[in-house]
Amino acid sequence: MPHDRLHLSARSRVPNNPQPAWLYSAARTVPPAQVGVHLAANGWTNAWQVGIYPFTHDHSTAHEVLVIARGQAHLTLGGRGGPQVTVTAGDALTLPAGTGHRNDGSSPDLLVIGAYAQGRDWDTCRPETTGPQAARTRAERDPISGDPWSAGT
């Protein structure tokens, strides 16, 4: 399964995380209705379905996976000046706790299925209001492959 590692350093009051973000191209091989079941089998629960906030934010208490079930979106990762990626139906993005992300524009039909490592409760930190919060959690399994997830892989 094609994937890219994205190392993001702290910037613009966004802490990011020493663990890389992972972008999986064409990761979804199950129907949208089964994505949550697949993620849960790999330890990623507390799932939701909607879009991605149009402002820079991160989650200090939980690693997040975003699976694009329908449509496409242009995202900025890591905060202002960070890399921009385009995600389309079937792609998945794993964001370690503290990784900034923002929706810079999306198709009207965008549907994202998100979940959190070990179903952790999540917070929403915004650099302009909360400032950087240290990431306080670590994932155990990759949400897509189910393989052990670590900073070195």
Side-chain angles (χ1 to χ4, degrees), residues 79-99:
R80 182 176 295 155
Q84 296 179 328
V85 298
T86 298
V87 290
T88 60
D91 293 348
L93 187 61
T94 302
L95 303 171
T99 302

Side-chain angles (χ1 to χ4, degrees), residues 26-146:
R28 191 188 81 219
T29 58
V30 297
Q34 294 299 311
V35 169
V37 173
H38 177 82
L39 296 174
N42 291 326
W44 294 67
T45 57
N46 200 4
W48 51 266
Q49 294 185 26
V50 71
I52 301 168
Y53 292 136
F55 52 84
T56 298
H57 66 285
D58 68 88
H59 310 291
S60 71
T61 58
H63 300 301
E64 181 176 43
V65 62
L66 304 172
V67 178
I68 311 304
R70 184 176 60 231
Q72 60 86 28
H74 303 286
L75 308 176
T76 296
L77 302 178
R80 182 176 295 155
Q84 296 179 328
V85 298
T86 298
V87 290
T88 60
D91 293 348
L93 187 61
T94 302
L95 303 171
T99 302
H101 51 292
R102 175 184 74 217
N103 182 346
D104 292 324
S106 57
S107 60
D109 63 338
L110 178 67
L111 176 62
V112 178
I113 300 169
Y116 302 94
Q118 292 88 41
R120 295 191 195 281
D121 289 332
W122 51 274
D123 57 1
T124 300
C125 301
R126 296 179 70 168
E128 67 275 8
T129 57
T130 59
Q133 302 289 314
R136 298 187 297 261
T137 189
R138 183 171 176 80
E140 295 178 13
R141 304 201 73 71
D142 183 281
I144 305 304
S145 69

